[in-house]
Amino acid sequence: MTGGGSATAAGDPRGQEAVDTLVQDAARVQTAQELAQLLRALRRRHARRSRDSELSYRELATRTGWSHGAIAEYLTGRTLPPTDRLDALLRVLGADAAELGAVATARDRVEESRRRGQAAEAPSEPVGGGLPQVPRQLPAVPPHFVGRAAELAALSELAHRPSEAGMVVISAVAGMAGIGKTALAVQIGHRLAERFPDGQLFVDLHGFTEGVARVQPAQALDRLLRDVGVPGERIPSGLEERAALWRSVLAGRRMLVVLDNAATEEQVQPLLPGASGCLVLVTSRRRLTGLESTHAVSLDMLPQADAVTLFLRTADRPELIADAPEVLEAVQLCGRLPLAIRIAAARLKHRRVWTVSDLVSRLREIAGLATLDDGQRSIHAALHLSYQHLSASAQRLYRLLGLPPGPDVEAYAAAALTAGTPDEASRLLDGLVDDHMLQEPSPGRFQLHDLVRAHAAELAAERETPAQRQAALTRLLDHYRHTAASAMTVAYPYERHRRPTVATAHTPAPDVDDPNGAQHWLDTELPNLLAAVQHAAQHGWPEHAWHLAATLDQHLLTRGRVRDMQTLHQQTLNLARELGNHRAEIDALNGLGFVERMLGHRDPAADHHGQALRIACDIGDRPGEMQALNGLGYIHRMRGRHEQAVDHYGQALRIAREIGDRSGEMQALTGLGYTHFMLGHYELAGDHHEQALHIAQDIGDRVGERIALDGLGVLHRLAGRFEQAGDNYARALRIARDIGDRVGELRMLNSLGSVHWSLGRSEQADDHYTRALRIAQDIGDHVGALYALNSLGELHLKLGRHSQAAGLYQQALDLARDLDSSNWQFEAVQGLGRLHHATGHHNLALEHHEQALQLATDLEQPDDLARAHDGLAQAHRALGQPDEARRHWQDALDILAKLGTDHTEELQTNAPNIRAHLADLDRLLS
């Protein structure tokens, strides 16, 4: 598929079609990117026919009823549109019946190509590179699994024909818990694992877990996408967009996905693959009849023979006889439910002086007191029997384990609950596992079955006073807050002064003294920490909520958990306003402003930073004022308001130096460096970047060091010092890869590509740009993609590959317009002008360079003004207008002289070349 016609059509008033016809173009589509290019060409044709501007993402979202993000996914090729959505989008864009069929066929061809593994839409490498991630997340095979032969055979048979439904729902009798749904799913999962070589995923949706928030579909998709290697930066914010990306990632893969403990069809539907090849096992207490194309497997109580076998294996008492009346009665009192049988039999195993008759007598007594349904009564009886025979310390830990809001605990958290020691907690936890009252899905991590958690919480409410329950949770929150603060200090020492000072916990904490250990603790405990923030915010621990949210901010950013950052900052903002805590309010507003900047939402970002600035000035919070000014400086810089940017960065810099905030000083200097570069103040820009580099190295901020090296490399490259620029970029690339900074990696690949291109190394430049573009598309970095697209466009143009260059420039222009980025619109329009000049379309070249000149004038960027004047001069000369050509070349030369440089970012626009052109004109006219 070529892009030359598309680019021509975009600027040709005669409305020349992109390629011969759209139907012919569709026949050549092989990838999602090519399909997206076709859709963008159709959008341009729609604009010409309606004699209006192209429909923006937001306008298309309004007309289709979808989200703006979903439209962006489809028109940039990051997500393959579902068939029904593609048809609807084509109709909005005015496609006729023949075109509808041709494009639909193209879409199906892309999907089939993915299935065969011919397209690489999904990321195959983890964030830091290395071997492809193949997740193996199934819990350990349940001990003493018995029976369910018919169900296992049915599920196994389905796995042999995954091209049919591709999904299985395991459903229990309504309301029946503890019947073995998860055990069956895990058992068959391990048996079938080799049939799904791309991995096995396991997610507990907590549909019926008392005291734990139900996992929302968007949360589950966030985790699933990360588990298959999608970096957090690439994961979109909306549910629809995440679901679309999930379906795209799974296309062509063979994976087993276990969705455990689902509550409703609505919770499950977005998590399902869009095509066959994957097997999904869903466990639920409800019959999920609203899911289409499912194979339901309803579990009933174990047959008596299987129930007895499970009882005997768990009890491990060789003297027991299978058909003894007391054994039969014991399993009947357990309701023939696997969970209850395991718990009761474990009690018999550990009480060697008991007979089965003793066990039966106690089960009868407890079951007769319970006012529950049959299944719950059986499990309640077994649990209560085991609980009665625990030591007092084990009983207390069991009760308190019903209180934490997170999904699991380890020994230090358990010790915090009981105010004991980790060694004692480990011993008690191991004992509860032996009694089948706790699960240990991974070494040292302990979970409670939903019914067990409910039983423990019930006992805590009965036997612990409100003050005792509050004290236990306070100790746990203290533990999380203190250990999180310690880990963050080790992992991110350069921002320690910005995090709140927290009190030392009065219970032991794990060793997080080395960076790897600190990062591991933060990653492992993150679900518990996020749950703790929410619980603290909602149940009377506002200070803990604020401290944890502010403490975790940088780690969430590093892990790409932008939406979690947004949630925590919004919770903190609400609390701060409720309590009148202005410092916390300022931190939350600046945090929200930063998140909105990352999401590309400049107006709300400016509003948040503006509010933070006003409050900080009112109360004299200098650090908060500095952060707000840096944020506003960034927004002004991105909008091309360079004077305002310099003013805000300058104020931030003064405050940072007055209060001794070196990290804030570095950020302000970096912002000033890039802003002065845009203004053509190269010496001043270099001075600021040098200062920022020294500070970053002094305080150990590797990201800051990488950014400063990049800024200095730009200046060296502009001055023609390409080897020095390459050295800076190479150092920055090593840093980015060392710390797993994918954004930094793609930036440096783009920059190194520019150096290679400047030195005439076209093959190396092409390789670097292409790798950068791949990463940018992988993580959803629009700026990185724009840089790579424009650079590749220039490279193909210079190598005479005009069709490829046209497609790349047009794709860059479409994206820049949708992002409302004047800077990148200039680059694309300037490139298209050069292209039209090279292909002999000089009027079109003139039109594009006039647009570029207007954009550069609006942006007040002299380097770009010189480039636009050079392009206009070339076009006028080709059109036989030497006086106009002379005027524009002289304007360009005057700008370079004023800047004190002979070069611009564009290789061909330099003082020697311009002087040569003027000399040629003189000879021509003489």
Side-chain angles (χ1 to χ4, degrees):
M1 178 178 179
T2 61
S6 298
T8 303
D12 189 346
R14 297 167 297 176
Q16 179 183 347
E17 290 295 341
V19 186
D20 296 333
T21 68
L22 188 136
V23 172
Q24 293 172 340
D25 205 6
R28 289 188 284 273
V29 168
Q30 296 296 328
T31 68
Q33 282 73 30
E34 291 176 347
L35 181 66
Q37 186 175 341
L38 196 66
L39 293 174
R40 294 193 300 273
L42 193 58
R43 181 173 60 157
R44 292 192 294 274
R45 190 187 72 180
H46 177 272
R48 292 196 301 273
R49 288 179 175 177
S50 59
R51 297 181 180 178
D52 200 354
S53 58
E54 293 179 22
L55 292 171
S56 68
Y57 288 177
R58 290 178 177 83
E59 289 170 329
L60 284 170
T62 300
R63 296 194 183 194
T64 59
W66 310 330
S67 70
H68 163 262
I71 297 293
E73 293 280 324
Y74 303 152
L75 290 189
T76 57
R78 287 167 56 195
T79 297
L80 187 66
T83 302
D84 57 339
R85 288 200 164 192
L86 179 64
D87 289 344
L89 185 58
L90 291 172
R91 294 182 194 282
V92 168
L93 296 176
D96 62 25
E99 291 166 340
L100 282 169
V103 178
T105 300
R107 182 229 174 262
D108 292 343
R109 185 166 57 252
V110 172
E111 183 175 47
E112 181 59 31
S113 177
R114 284 181 171 185
R115 284 202 196 102
R116 295 195 308 266
Q118 295 174 353
E121 296 296 313
S124 60
E125 295 184 357
V127 173
L131 296 175
Q133 291 188 3
V134 179
R136 311 287 186 191
Q137 295 182 351
L138 293 177
V141 177
H144 310 309
F145 184 89
V146 298
R148 307 301 189 195
E151 292 86 351
L152 288 169
L155 294 173
S156 181
E157 194 272 335
L158 283 171
H160 284 75
R161 47 187 179 94
S163 60
E164 292 189 9
M167 180 182 66
V168 180
V169 173
I170 301 176
S171 174
V173 176
M176 186 66 70
I179 204 166
K181 302 180 295 297
T182 302
L184 176 64
V186 171
Q187 182 76 14
I188 192 62
H190 280 285
R191 292 190 184 185
L192 300 177
E194 65 180 17
R195 297 186 179 276
F196 299 94
D198 295 319
Q200 304 89 45
L201 300 169
F202 184 94
V203 179
D204 186 348
L205 297 176
H206 292 295
F208 299 93
T209 307
E210 185 173 332
V212 176
R214 183 177 295 175
V215 176
Q216 298 302 311
Q219 293 174 290
L221 285 167
D222 180 85
R223 173 183 159 179
L224 288 167
L225 288 166
R226 292 172 190 274
D227 288 343
V228 295
V230 178
E233 301 94 324
R234 186 191 170 196
I235 298 174
S237 58
L239 173 60
E240 290 183 2
E241 295 77 29
R242 288 185 181 184
L245 179 58
W246 170 240
R247 291 190 295 270
S248 296
V249 169
L250 261 60
R253 294 191 184 191
R254 291 185 56 81
M255 299 193 76
L256 172 67
V257 183
V258 179
L259 304 175
D260 191 37
N261 197 3
T264 65
E265 291 88 340
E266 291 75 18
Q267 190 183 24
V268 172
Q269 188 67 56
L271 314 183
L272 303 178
S276 59
C278 295
L279 183 66
V280 181
L281 304 177
V282 185
T283 75
S284 176
R285 296 186 195 178
R286 298 180 57 248
R287 298 178 185 272
L288 302 179
T289 56
L291 295 176
E292 298 179 0
S293 303
T294 65
H295 295 271
V297 178
S298 276
L299 296 187
D300 204 342
M301 297 177 293
L302 285 173
Q304 182 170 280
D306 291 337
V308 168
T309 300
L310 178 59
F311 182 87
L312 295 179
R313 289 181 181 176
T314 306
D316 193 23
R317 298 278 286 268
E319 72 274 14
L320 299 183
I321 301 172
D323 58 358
E326 58 272 21
V327 171
L328 299 179
E329 185 175 0
V331 298
Q332 202 63 38
L333 284 168
C334 291
R336 285 188 274 139
L337 297 175
L339 177 61
I341 292 171
R342 285 193 178 95
I343 295 169
R347 178 50 41 207
L348 191 64
K349 175 181 179 179
H350 295 296
R351 292 278 173 168
R352 308 301 289 189
V353 297
W354 282 17
T355 65
V356 180
S357 296
D358 294 325
L359 176 66
V360 167
S361 175
R362 286 166 172 79
L363 286 172
R364 280 196 201 126
E365 178 182 348
I366 298 168
L369 295 174
T371 57
L372 306 167
D373 64 42
D374 290 342
Q376 288 177 318
R377 182 184 300 116
S378 301
I379 294 171
H380 183 278
L383 282 170
H384 212 67
L385 178 61
S386 288
Y387 172 78
Q388 286 180 333
H389 293 87
L390 295 174
S391 66
S393 55
Q395 285 183 344
R396 181 165 177 262
L397 174 59
Y398 176 76
R399 294 194 301 268
L400 295 178
L401 287 174
L403 301 179
D408 63 7
V409 297
E410 43 72 61
Y412 286 94
L417 284 169
T418 62
T421 67
D423 288 342
E424 180 186 12
S426 292
R427 178 178 57 79
L428 295 173
L429 290 166
D430 289 341
L432 291 171
V433 171
D434 291 341
D435 287 335
H436 292 267
M437 301 177 79
L438 276 185
Q439 300 166 342
E440 190 178 11
S442 61
R445 310 296 305 184
F446 301 91
Q447 294 177 339
L448 289 81
H449 186 281
D450 289 355
L451 291 179
V452 180
R453 180 188 287 268
H455 181 256
E458 178 185 324
L459 288 173
E462 290 176 359
R463 306 190 183 190
E464 301 284 336
T465 67
Q468 289 172 326
R469 296 197 299 273
Q470 184 179 33
L473 279 173
T474 299
R475 288 191 299 271
L476 180 65
L477 292 172
D478 284 345
H479 160 71
Y480 283 144
R481 180 176 63 173
H482 167 73
T483 312
S486 299
M488 290 294 295
T489 295
V490 174
Y492 307 94
Y494 51 87
E495 289 206 336
R496 178 179 182 179
H497 62 285
R498 290 200 185 150
R499 294 187 286 270
T501 301
V502 303
T504 302
H506 297 295
T507 57
D511 180 8
V512 290
D513 289 341
D514 71 277
N516 288 335
Q519 296 271 6
H520 177 73
W521 186 90
L522 289 164
D523 288 333
T524 303
E525 293 294 342
L526 196 55
N528 291 318
L529 296 171
L530 294 174
V533 175
Q534 183 174 0
H535 188 86
Q538 295 174 353
H539 295 91
W541 287 273
E543 188 177 77
H544 288 80
W546 167 41
H547 286 169
L548 274 170
T551 297
L552 294 171
D553 188 65
Q554 184 62 39
H555 186 70
L556 291 172
L557 172 62
T558 303
R559 294 297 182 260
R561 305 288 289 263
V562 178
R563 288 297 171 181
D564 286 326
M565 292 172 65
Q566 189 175 38
T567 298
L568 294 192
H569 288 311
Q570 189 61 58
Q571 286 178 336
T572 303
L573 180 62
N574 295 340
L575 279 174
R577 286 175 170 169
E578 180 182 331
L579 299 172
N581 186 330
H582 294 304
R583 184 190 167 199
E585 184 178 6
I586 293 167
D587 287 346
L589 285 167
N590 277 324
L592 285 169
F594 182 83
V595 169
E596 297 292 357
R597 281 158 46 194
M598 290 191 67
L599 296 173
H601 305 156
R602 294 176 186 170
D603 288 341
D607 180 61
H608 288 309
H609 285 308
Q611 290 183 59
L613 180 61
R614 287 190 293 273
I615 299 169
C617 290
D618 287 344
I619 68 171
D621 182 346
R622 302 284 275 168
E625 182 182 357
M626 177 200 67
Q627 286 290 87
L629 287 166
N630 269 327
L632 290 168
Y634 176 90
I635 293 166
H636 286 307
R637 175 162 64 90
M638 290 297 101
R639 285 175 166 166
R641 301 170 182 167
H642 299 133
E643 289 185 7
Q644 294 97 316
V646 169
D647 177 63
H648 282 78
Y649 281 133
Q651 292 182 59
L653 180 62
R654 285 192 296 274
I655 294 172
R657 285 172 172 168
E658 288 170 6
I659 64 177
D661 188 324
R662 303 206 74 199
S663 180
E665 181 182 2
M666 179 199 69
Q667 291 176 13
L669 286 166
T670 298
L672 283 167
Y674 282 114
T675 307
H676 283 299
F677 168 76
M678 290 178 172
L679 289 169
H681 306 155
Y682 302 135
E683 185 175 348
L684 193 55
D687 179 62
H688 284 110
H689 284 308
E690 284 284 2
Q691 292 182 60
L693 177 62
H694 292 315
I695 293 172
Q697 291 171 336
D698 284 347
I699 66 177
D701 186 340
R702 304 299 304 284
V703 174
E705 183 179 358
R706 191 268 300 165
I707 294 172
L709 286 168
D710 182 22
L712 289 168
V714 171
L715 293 168
H716 285 307
R717 181 161 54 87
L718 191 64
R721 299 187 291 269
F722 300 119
E723 295 295 344
Q724 289 169 276
D727 289 343
N728 276 21
Y729 293 146
R731 287 170 58 192
L733 179 62
R734 286 194 295 273
I735 291 171
R737 286 175 169 166
D738 285 347
I739 64 177
D741 179 3
R742 292 273 277 178
V743 174
E745 183 179 2
L746 83 88
R747 295 276 194 277
M748 294 308 97
L749 285 169
N750 271 327
S751 298
L752 281 167
S754 297
V755 169
H756 285 301
W757 180 239
S758 299
L759 293 171
R761 304 166 185 162
S762 58
E763 187 174 336
Q764 293 97 318
D766 193 350
D767 175 65
H768 280 75
Y769 289 142
T770 301
R771 281 193 283 159
L773 181 60
R774 190 178 302 122
I775 294 174
Q777 291 172 335
D778 190 36
I779 67 175
D781 187 303
H782 296 312
V783 173
L786 284 165
Y787 193 117
L789 287 168
N790 280 299
S791 299
L792 284 168
E794 181 185 4
L795 183 147
H796 286 296
L797 169 60
K798 293 298 177 9
L799 295 176
R801 304 167 187 164
H802 296 152
S803 294
Q804 294 95 319
L808 290 159
Y809 278 134
Q810 190 62 53
Q811 191 175 347
L813 181 58
D814 289 342
L815 181 56
R817 283 174 173 166
D818 284 318
L819 294 173
D820 194 26
S821 172
S822 297
N823 277 301
W824 289 109
Q825 286 181 58
F826 168 84
E827 295 296 340
V829 170
Q830 177 77 358
L832 284 168
R834 299 291 194 191
L835 171 66
H836 290 309
H837 181 75
T839 56
H841 299 96
H842 302 303
N843 282 319
L844 286 174
L846 191 67
E847 178 183 329
H848 281 81
H849 287 307
E850 285 173 347
Q851 293 178 41
L853 182 66
Q854 185 59 55
L855 286 164
T857 301
D858 292 342
L859 289 166
E860 300 178 358
Q861 294 176 181
D863 181 276
D864 293 339
L865 279 169
R867 295 167 57 196
H869 280 300
D870 180 53
L872 284 165
Q874 299 274 7
H876 282 298
R877 185 179 65 176
L879 291 169
Q881 300 163 352
D883 291 339
E884 287 297 306
R886 175 184 293 280
R887 179 172 67 84
H888 283 292
W889 267 322
Q890 189 60 56
D891 285 345
L893 199 60
D894 291 345
I895 290 170
L896 293 180
K898 186 176 180 180
L899 292 175
T901 181
D902 284 345
H903 304 274
T904 68
E905 281 198 87
E906 196 172 358
L907 286 179
Q908 69 189 79
T909 303
N910 59 68
N913 280 353
I914 294 173
R915 293 190 186 99
H917 293 318
L918 289 171
D920 287 342
L921 283 179
D922 289 338
R923 285 192 295 272
L924 181 67
L925 296 174
S926 62

